[in-house]
Amino acid sequence: MSILHPQLEPWTTSRALNPPYDPHFEARSEIDKEILQLERQLHLLRVKRNSLIPISNLPTDVLVDIFKLATTKVEDKDVSPKRMAEISWVCGLWRKVALDHPILWTVISGSLSLMWKKAFIQRSQPAGISIGVNHTYIMPELMEILISELPRIRHLDLSNGNAQTSEMIASLPAPTLQSVKLW
């Protein structure tokens, strides 16, 4: 009986751990390396070709304006998180523009997960932000974020928040705060 597999005989276990010799392993490895090189060349050619299409030659500020329009609320639904993710995945240029312009990450929806809220807050630095929180109970980690970011919060929506949270937020200095919804 084998220690690793008590139900198997030792010769069965050693055969399972040491597959039979493959005489073509090295040849396949070389072919795989060639395929990888060709895929890299193909990728570079696609990037080069894409850089020649008109949208790739738009000025950055025009792209930022287009991205802003693409992420505005539609029929009172906040589509910015999903759209910003989609925009940043289109191509290298769009990703660079999206990540280099904090203004595109300033609307932080209450429906976002904590992970996405953190990502938007980080990417929006140092711009002012609008943040929504629609939970009856605000997690301590989210509360810490709200307190630490309060100096740059312009619009705050605490839907379904409790009175204690609302009072705590209202008692702290918020120099750029323009509007507050405390429900």
Side-chain angles (χ1 to χ4, degrees), residues 69-148:
L69 290 171
T71 58
T72 55
K73 285 187 176 186
V74 177
E75 295 176 11
D76 210 33
K77 284 186 177 177
D78 188 10
V79 295
S80 63
K82 185 174 186 248
R83 291 259 171 86
M84 279 312 303
E86 292 168 348
I87 286 169
S88 68
W89 296 335
V90 169
C91 66
L93 172 66
W94 285 25
R95 182 163 185 77
K96 182 175 177 9
V97 170
L99 294 178
D100 287 352
H101 290 82
I103 194 74
L104 297 171
W105 302 93
T106 59
V107 177
I108 302 165
S109 168
S111 61
L112 285 176
S113 69
L114 184 60
M115 179 196 76
W116 274 108
K117 280 182 175 76
K118 287 179 177 180
F120 269 61
I121 286 169
Q122 180 184 8
R123 292 175 182 175
S124 67
Q125 298 285 348
I129 55 177
S130 298
I131 188 164
V133 179
N134 57 1
H135 304 290
T136 303
Y137 169 72
I138 298 178
M139 297 176 281
E141 193 174 6
L142 182 55
M143 192 63 178
E144 287 176 26
I145 291 170
L146 285 174
I147 291 169
S148 68

